[in-house]
Amino acid sequence: MSNIRTVVLAVVCLWTTAVAQSSPSFDPAAAFGARPGVSRLRLSPDGQNVAFIVPGPGQGSVVYALSVAKGSQPKAPLSADGKPFRLRECNWVANDRLVCEIYFVGKAEDGSNRGETRLVAVDSDGKNLKVLSTRENFYSRGWQFYGGEIIDWLPDESGAVLMTRNYLPDDHIGSHIGSDAQGLAVDWIDTRTLTLRHVEPVRRDAVLYLSDGRGTVRIVGTDNSRANLRTGTYTFYYRVPGSRDWRKLSDYNEQEGTGLFPKAVDHDLNVAYGYKKKDGRWALYSVALDGSLREQVVYARSDVDVDNVVRIGRRNRVVGTAYATDISRANYFAPDIEGIVRSLTKALPEHLVDIVDTSADESRMVVHSSSDVDAGVYYLFDRKTHQLQTFLVSRSELEGSKLAHVKPITYPAADGTPIPAYLTLPVGHEDAKGLPAIVMPHGGPAARDQWGFDWLAQFFAARGYAVLQPNFRGSAGYGDAWEMKNGFKSWPVAIADVLDGGRWLVREGIADPSKLAIVGWSYGGYAALQSAVIDPTVFKAVVAIAPVTDLSALKEQERGWANFAIVSEYVGDGKAIHEGSPAEHADRIKVPVLLFHGGRDANVSVAQSKEMAARLKAAGDRCELVTWDDLDHQLEDSAARTQLLRQSDAFLRQALGM
């Protein structure tokens, strides 16, 4: 990459909420706990404007629009105060107009928390705000959780989109607006005027539509529900070019992981790209949409799953697929993009490089780079001039701070199985022995940790802890044999691997056995508590954030909802879920426990932490519970995250005698 030019925009100070690095003392809890100062950066079709989201007070957020011309000033066309509405992301539908997704957690009739979305459009100067999602009214039957999504940005039609829209029956009897239509449809909609045209009729069984990036819907996915209960089985249909008739493409069973799940359509090649198991691991396949259904393996690996389709541009051009071994990688089968990424990687060595957006003609690009010791930088790249401009940093609070390197390692489980993990050692203590240490199992459990910047692990490393993040058996990403039945049904193996991670830290001399703790979020919080149940001698303190504590209650949380059968099957039944519920065995935990939970958590009810705290206190154990009434599972509030970090550190130091 020749002729690289770095330009840092001075205007950044107008919207970042930086912690002053010039202050006498750097506050790690505030710096690492702060939400990213810039996220979701997107480029306008002509490549002359950007939009990005910055945090406001609490869970609030603001979208800024800015010309890339030097000396321009940002405009804030839309904001949300987080009570309860939040901006999830915004993208350009024209050079002067944005479409934004709003997310919030609402209370359902049964009192449970449920996430909801809406789509709105607004001019970049804040004018002409329009709601694109269908609306509820007094006569609607049902609850509008899903606000739809854009499936085609229609770059040749400025301001118009193809989007899925969810319709509810309207019992407005005797009125022309009454309708018994229920389900998902595809509408062409002018985001400026709300003029719309039905492209695909309302289907009660539809769950997915895919466009070819040229305004034509080519695939529909249907849910094979029974008696309004989801079964986790789907059937996908496709159209040959020029036809309106649906033909069967594939069946898919999400519980068993069988069949093909389509993810994208390539207009020029007339194929669908999708995921299907090959030798027990997810692989990327292409299927011809010409009537032959000719199937080919596009990319597969013998060690890990292929986990993402890489798409760029206004037409969502498919250019590659992603996977993660020790670090995240991509296989690009679009030669032009492969060449660009190779050059960018040379210019930004030892970084993960992603093209996150492009102009309509793909001549200008937004590039994001990050690493284990770099929280991320957004660049603008001009393909014609080969200029790479530094634009905005993701976390200005950490600029100038030296972060700890993350090293991929493996450690042996008790049965000899090598467990992949990441080890983060404090800066300046890479060869030290007898450190205070933390095992930090990931959430999910159908997830895995990956190499890169992790604000939670980096905070603890900055405070002097060694941090081990294990991808225990039960994690996703390594194929069926590794995931087993999943981390809930196979909890004895998963928890044993987590415990073996702590034992390995001690055996290697990295950790002082009297100063070894476990910290986890969501399933990671479950693993932390269950580890202390199974062997209370390994970890001397537990911090669990939004943890599952009662597997039966996790299932009951979904009773009365369409996905109850799926959740029940995933979690399991019988004696195993009682033995695997830490709340039922609180008396076995002999170490101090600190719990955090949001009152609006739609993933794991706050009642789970309240139950755990009550049972621990009844057993005479030391337990602290911190809750926030208005926060959900992710605790997307800088002040709350800062409190979480500061209080966790103080708790661990006291519990570990530091």
Side-chain angles (χ1 to χ4, degrees):
M1 182 72 60
S2 59
N3 194 25
I4 297 174
R5 181 166 62 91
T6 300
V7 179
V8 179
L9 299 184
V11 74
V12 68
C13 63
L14 293 174
W15 55 79
T16 54
T17 54
V19 173
Q21 295 291 313
S22 58
S23 61
S25 60
F26 175 63
D27 184 349
F32 289 104
R35 288 188 290 159
V38 175
S39 63
R40 306 289 185 176
L41 198 146
R42 295 293 181 262
L43 195 60
S44 62
D46 63 3
Q48 299 304 308
N49 302 283
V50 294
F52 49 90
I53 294 176
V54 304
Q59 297 182 99
S61 47
V62 183
V63 59
Y64 282 96
L66 172 69
S67 168
V68 299
K70 189 174 182 180
S72 61
Q73 295 296 311
K75 295 177 285 188
L78 191 64
S79 64
D81 64 6
K83 303 177 182 179
F85 301 108
R86 281 177 277 166
L87 286 171
R88 180 173 277 177
E89 64 178 315
C90 295
N91 205 348
W92 298 90
V93 68
N95 292 324
D96 61 348
R97 191 161 177 80
L98 295 160
V99 170
C100 298
E101 182 181 70
I102 294 173
Y103 173 79
F104 59 100
V105 176
K107 284 284 185 184
E109 292 182 0
D110 65 356
S112 64
N113 296 311
R114 300 287 156 175
E116 304 184 39
T117 61
R118 299 292 186 269
L119 293 184
V120 301
V122 64
D123 289 345
S124 58
D125 61 3
K127 297 178 181 177
N128 195 23
L129 178 67
K130 301 287 186 183
V131 177
L132 305 182
S133 304
T134 56
R135 299 193 183 195
E136 297 168 282
N137 60 50
F138 178 78
Y139 301 96
S140 297
R141 271 191 288 124
W143 193 282
Q144 185 69 283
F145 293 106
Y146 176 54
E149 66 179 307
I150 308 301
I151 65 169
D152 199 318
W153 289 94
L154 302 178
D156 298 326
E157 304 178 51
S158 178
V161 295
L162 283 187
M163 67 174 288
T164 57
R165 301 177 85 226
N166 192 44
Y167 285 83
L168 297 176
D170 188 318
D171 293 335
H172 202 163
I173 306 301
S175 168
H176 69 281
I177 64 174
S179 170
D180 61 0
Q182 180 176 359
L184 204 61
V186 176
D187 292 338
W188 176 96
I189 187 166
D190 185 321
T191 67
R192 303 180 196 275
T193 65
L194 295 188
T195 301
L196 68 84
R197 180 175 72 251
H198 298 305
V199 175
E200 297 295 334
V202 176
R203 290 186 60 157
R204 186 166 186 162
D205 62 349
V207 293
L208 173 144
Y209 288 95
L210 295 179
S211 166
D212 63 356
R214 300 295 194 280
T216 302
V217 177
R218 297 292 303 279
I219 291 176
V220 61
T222 61
D223 183 354
N224 302 323
S225 297
R226 296 174 188 159
N228 294 323
L229 288 176
R230 289 181 56 208
T231 62
T233 62
Y234 306 90
T235 301
F236 296 95
Y237 301 89
Y238 76 102
R239 288 177 173 136
V240 298
S243 172
R244 293 285 299 172
D245 296 329
W246 290 114
R247 304 185 184 193
K248 186 174 179 179
L249 175 66
S250 64
D251 291 313
Y252 176 74
N253 186 315
E254 69 178 354
Q255 296 294 95
E256 299 175 1
T258 57
L260 177 95
F261 193 104
K263 299 292 289 186
V265 174
D266 189 308
H267 171 273
D268 295 336
L269 297 179
N270 192 31
V271 300
Y273 290 103
Y275 292 113
K276 182 179 176 180
K277 292 286 180 68
K278 183 180 185 298
D279 301 326
R281 293 180 178 84
W282 290 111
L284 183 67
Y285 283 74
S286 68
V287 181
L289 301 182
D290 58 3
S292 69
L293 292 183
R294 184 176 62 257
E295 191 175 272
Q296 292 184 322
V297 178
V298 178
Y299 191 73
R301 295 189 63 85
S302 61
D303 51 353
V304 294
D305 293 324
V306 174
D307 58 22
N308 194 23
V309 172
V310 181
R311 291 177 279 190
I312 67 167
R314 307 299 297 175
R315 299 191 190 277
N316 281 324
R317 178 164 70 105
V318 178
V319 297
T321 186
Y323 61 95
T325 52
D326 53 344
I327 68 171
S328 299
R329 306 173 191 272
N331 175 66
Y332 294 98
F333 40 78
D336 60 329
I337 301 302
E338 194 277 333
I340 290 172
V341 173
R342 189 190 316 116
S343 297
L344 289 171
T345 303
K346 289 180 180 178
L348 302 165
E350 299 181 356
H351 279 66
L352 305 174
V353 175
D354 295 306
I355 299 172
V356 297
D357 201 15
T358 76
S359 58
D361 63 2
E362 298 184 9
S363 65
R364 305 199 76 183
M365 297 178 166
V366 173
V367 175
H368 185 264
S369 79
S370 65
S371 74
D372 54 341
V373 294
D374 184 346
V377 178
Y378 286 100
Y379 298 86
L380 296 182
F381 176 61
D382 190 312
R383 293 178 69 175
K384 296 178 180 178
T385 63
H386 300 286
Q387 290 183 331
L388 184 69
Q389 301 179 1
T390 305
F391 195 65
L392 292 172
V393 296
S394 297
R395 291 176 175 264
S396 60
E397 300 89 346
L398 298 176
E399 286 295 285
S401 300
K402 191 170 184 179
L403 302 183
H405 282 287
V406 180
K407 181 181 179 182
I409 60 102
T410 62
Y411 65 85
D415 63 4
T417 302
I419 307 300
Y422 296 98
L423 179 63
T424 306
L425 297 174
V427 174
H429 294 80
E430 289 82 0
D431 297 320
K433 299 294 183 179
L435 295 170
I438 291 170
V439 174
M440 189 179 295
H442 61 72
R448 58 157 291 179
D449 274 318
Q450 298 193 18
W451 181 87
F453 173 81
D454 183 314
W455 62 273
L456 203 57
Q458 286 289 342
F459 166 76
F460 285 114
R463 297 296 293 149
Y465 298 89
V467 181
L468 181 72
Q469 296 172 273
N471 282 322
F472 45 85
R473 282 171 287 185
S475 302
Y478 296 91
D480 291 345
W482 194 264
E483 192 168 357
M484 301 181 299
K485 294 179 181 178
N486 75 55
F488 285 125
K489 280 187 171 180
S490 303
W491 69 261
V493 178
I495 300 305
D497 288 351
V498 171
L499 284 163
D500 285 338
R503 297 183 184 111
W504 176 82
L505 286 171
V506 172
R507 190 166 59 249
E508 292 295 307
I510 297 169
D512 179 337
S514 68
K515 295 179 173 56
L516 178 61
I518 185 166
V519 177
W521 198 314
S522 193
Y523 178 88
Y526 163 80
L529 292 165
Q530 188 65 3
S531 294
V533 168
I534 298 304
D535 188 342
T537 68
V538 175
F539 301 114
K540 307 308 185 235
V542 173
V543 176
I545 307 160
V548 174
T549 69
D550 186 323
L551 296 180
S552 293
L554 182 65
K555 296 196 303 181
E556 286 302 310
Q557 180 179 308
E558 301 306 312
R559 186 174 290 279
W561 295 87
N563 65 334
F564 175 68
I566 293 176
V567 173
S568 294
E569 170 62 25
Y570 188 80
V571 174
D573 208 344
K575 183 179 178 181
I577 69 168
H578 297 290
E579 293 179 343
S581 295
E584 295 195 35
H585 307 287
D587 59 318
R588 298 185 192 173
I589 298 178
K590 304 301 181 184
V591 298
V593 175
L594 175 60
L595 302 165
F596 295 96
H597 219 124
R600 283 189 171 267
D601 194 326
N603 297 57
V604 182
S605 171
V606 68
Q608 298 240 351
S609 281
K610 290 180 177 179
E611 177 189 16
M612 190 76 214
R615 294 197 180 194
L616 284 168
K617 290 176 181 177
D621 296 320
R622 178 188 165 192
C623 176
E624 300 175 40
L625 171 61
V626 179
T627 63
W628 297 272
D629 292 341
D630 58 344
L631 300 186
D632 67 9
H633 194 66
Q634 304 303 329
L635 304 179
E636 291 187 4
D637 180 316
S638 296
R641 289 185 175 184
T642 298
Q643 178 187 350
L644 182 154
L645 296 180
R646 186 169 288 127
Q647 197 161 340
S648 295
D649 184 36
F651 167 82
L652 291 175
R653 288 179 182 279
Q654 182 180 23
L656 302 179
M658 296 169 60

